[in-house]
Amino acid sequence: MKQGDLHTHTTASDGTFSPSENIQRAIEKGLKAIAITDHDTINGVEEALEEASKHSDFECIPGIEISTLYKGQDIHVLGYYIDYKDKNFLMILDKLTSVRNQRNKMIIQKLNKLGIQIDESELESKRCGEGNVGRGHIAEILMEKGIVNSLPEAFEKYLGKGRAAYAIPDRISPLEAVRIIQDANGVPVLAHPGIYDADELIPLLSKNGLAGIECCHPDHTLEQVHHYEKLADKYFLIKTAGSDFHGFRNGEVFHGDIGSCTVSLRTLQSLKNFCK
C-alpha cells in the first residue's frame, strides 16, 4: 500500500536535513508522499516542492507546524496544503518567529544562571539561511559542550516542560492557529496530542475547524494511538500520522526516522477534500 509521512522538519527550522534531502530520504524509504512541516516557517517548502517535482508519482505537501500556548502548555497545530505565498499568512509568520526568538533568549538566560554559558551568537551560528532556530539547536549546543550526552537528556534535564531551563513566552492560542491555517486555505490538524495531557482541546477545536488528529507519532504508546483513534472517530476527525523527523544529531534520530509513522494516500485525499 502506498504510504506518506505527514510530519517532517528540515534545516528551515530545527531539522538537520535540507528540504531536498527529506524528499530524497522519503523516496529511499519507499514513500509516495511527505509533508514539510517546519516550526512557524515555510522557508523549506519551495525547495522541497522543486525536488519532489523531479520524481514521478511522488507528492510533497506544503505544510507548517504552528506553536501555540494553552494553559501554560506548548501546543502544536499542523497545517497542510497551505497557500504558503499568502501575504497575510507570511506577515503572521514573521510575528511568530519573533516570539520564537524571544523564547530562545529566555532559555539561554536560564541556562546561564545555572552556570551553563551559552552566547546568543552560538545559537545564531546554527541558523540555516533564513530558517528558524529553537530548542533542538540549544540541545545540540549542550551536547557539544559535554553538558549532556543525548538529545533526550537535554530535554529531560533542561529544556522539557517544567525542567530547569524551560521557558515559554505568550503565544497565540490553538484556536487562533486553526483559524490562521484556514485563512491560508490549509487543513489544520492537532500534532502529537499524547504529549500534552489536554484532551479537552479536541472537542473544542473540532467545533471550530480542526480537521484531524495526529494519532500515530513516535512518542505515542500503542495505547495512546488507539485512544486518539477512538477520539477521532467520536469527533469525526481525520486520523493522521507522522514521524516528526528532525534528522540526526550525534547519530541519534529525534523523534523518529522518516517513514516510521505513516498514512495511506487515502488520508491525503481526505485532507484535500476537507478544503473543498
Side-chain angles (χ1 to χ4, degrees):
M1 184 181 293
K2 295 179 179 180
Q3 299 289 111
D5 186 337
L6 297 183
H7 193 166
T8 74
H9 297 274
T10 76
T11 48
S13 64
D14 55 349
T16 62
F17 280 37
S18 71
S20 295
E21 289 170 334
N22 271 25
I23 301 298
Q24 292 161 8
R25 190 168 186 83
I27 291 169
E28 289 169 3
K29 295 282 186 177
L31 299 181
K32 293 298 181 180
I34 191 176
I36 301 298
T37 53
D38 282 307
H39 294 288
D40 303 319
T41 182
I42 49 78
N43 285 343
V45 167
E46 284 200 340
E47 179 186 328
L49 289 171
E50 183 178 351
E51 177 63 30
S53 70
K54 301 174 185 176
H55 306 274
S56 61
D57 195 28
F58 185 87
E59 180 178 359
C60 174
I61 300 105
I64 196 163
E65 185 172 18
I66 295 180
S67 304
T68 76
L69 186 62
Y70 173 77
K71 294 184 178 179
Q73 171 73 51
D74 199 11
I75 305 287
H76 292 172
V77 181
L78 294 157
Y80 299 117
Y81 297 105
I82 52 172
D83 179 358
Y84 62 93
K85 295 182 180 180
D86 181 85
K87 290 182 179 179
N88 187 57
F89 180 61
L90 294 175
M91 284 194 302
I92 291 171
L93 293 189
D94 283 340
K95 294 177 182 177
L96 297 181
T97 296
S98 68
V99 174
R100 174 172 287 273
N101 291 337
Q102 180 187 349
R103 183 190 198 185
N104 292 336
K105 290 180 180 180
M106 293 166 66
I107 291 173
I108 289 173
Q109 288 170 359
K110 286 194 171 187
L111 287 170
N112 289 343
K113 287 180 180 179
L114 291 169
I116 301 170
Q117 205 58 42
I118 295 177
D119 294 327
E120 289 183 27
S121 61
E122 291 179 79
L123 180 58
E124 188 61 31
S125 70
K126 299 289 184 181
R127 193 183 299 274
C128 183
E130 296 181 358
N132 288 339
V133 287
R135 287 187 296 170
H137 296 97
I138 296 173
E140 186 175 358
I141 293 171
L142 290 173
M143 291 171 66
E144 291 169 355
K145 289 179 177 289
I147 306 299
V148 298
N149 295 314
S150 67
L151 288 172
E153 184 182 356
F155 279 83
E156 179 63 30
K157 285 187 175 180
Y158 299 106
L159 305 177
K161 184 183 178 184
R163 303 308 178 187
Y166 182 77
I168 187 163
D170 285 336
R171 278 179 163 161
I172 63 171
S173 70
L175 185 55
E176 286 176 285
V178 168
R179 289 171 179 161
I180 288 167
I181 290 165
Q182 286 179 312
D183 287 345
N185 298 317
V187 185
V189 169
L190 184 63
H192 40 62
I195 293 176
Y196 310 134
D197 190 25
D199 285 359
E200 71 273 13
L201 264 175
I202 294 171
L204 171 65
L205 296 178
S206 68
K207 292 177 183 177
N208 289 278
L210 188 73
I213 308 175
E214 188 176 51
C215 298
C216 183
H217 181 276
D219 293 346
H220 284 182
T221 64
L222 188 59
E223 182 181 7
Q224 285 177 315
V225 172
H226 294 323
H227 171 68
Y228 289 109
E229 286 177 340
K230 289 178 181 177
L231 283 181
D233 287 337
K234 181 177 180 179
Y235 295 107
F236 305 100
L237 297 167
I238 300 167
K239 303 166 191 172
T240 75
S243 64
D244 206 353
F245 179 67
H246 282 70
F248 295 84
R249 286 185 168 90
N250 282 18
E252 292 186 26
V253 66
F254 183 75
H255 298 267
D257 198 354
I258 284 177
S260 58
C261 290
T262 61
V263 296
S264 74
L265 298 193
R266 290 194 301 272
T267 300
L268 271 67
Q269 190 58 52
S270 295
L271 292 170
K272 291 175 185 176
N273 290 342
F274 193 86
C275 293
K276 296 177 181 178

